[in-house]
Amino acid sequence: MENGLLFKELLQTPNFRITVVDDADTVELCGALKAIAGTSAQFFLPFSSYTFLDSAVYFGQPQFRG
């Protein structure tokens, strides 16, 4: 906890807020849920940036003419 507070003092700015908590299990769970949500968004959102970049080049050939 002391290291977390030290990093908070060093890195926190008005535009970048840091919260230090001592419940590591909950932080790990939230990180895993965030990763699952991000991965599923790549598969199910048709116009996400990953899907657009992946479909823009198919075997090295452009798929759209602009």
Side-chain angles (χ1 to χ4, degrees), residues 2-3 10-11 13 15 20 23 25 27-28 37 39-40 44-45 47-48 50 52 55 58 63:
E2 294 174 14
N3 290 336
L10 293 173
L11 299 175
T13 66
N15 296 324
V20 179
D23 188 8
D25 294 335
V27 172
E28 291 285 336
T39 302
S40 63
F44 297 114
L45 294 177
F47 297 109
S48 67
Y50 176 81
F52 174 74
S55 64
Y58 181 72
Q63 294 299 310

Side-chain angles (χ1 to χ4, degrees), residues 3 5-7 9 11 13 19 21-23 27-28 31 35 39 41 43-44 49 51-57 61 65:
N3 290 336
L5 293 173
L6 176 64
F7 281 117
E9 289 179 23
L11 299 175
T13 66
T19 303
V21 296
D22 59 350
D23 188 8
V27 172
E28 291 285 336
T39 302
F43 290 109
F44 297 114
S49 60
T51 304
F52 174 74
L53 294 175
D54 191 40
S55 64
V57 177
Q61 301 297 324
R65 309 277 192 272

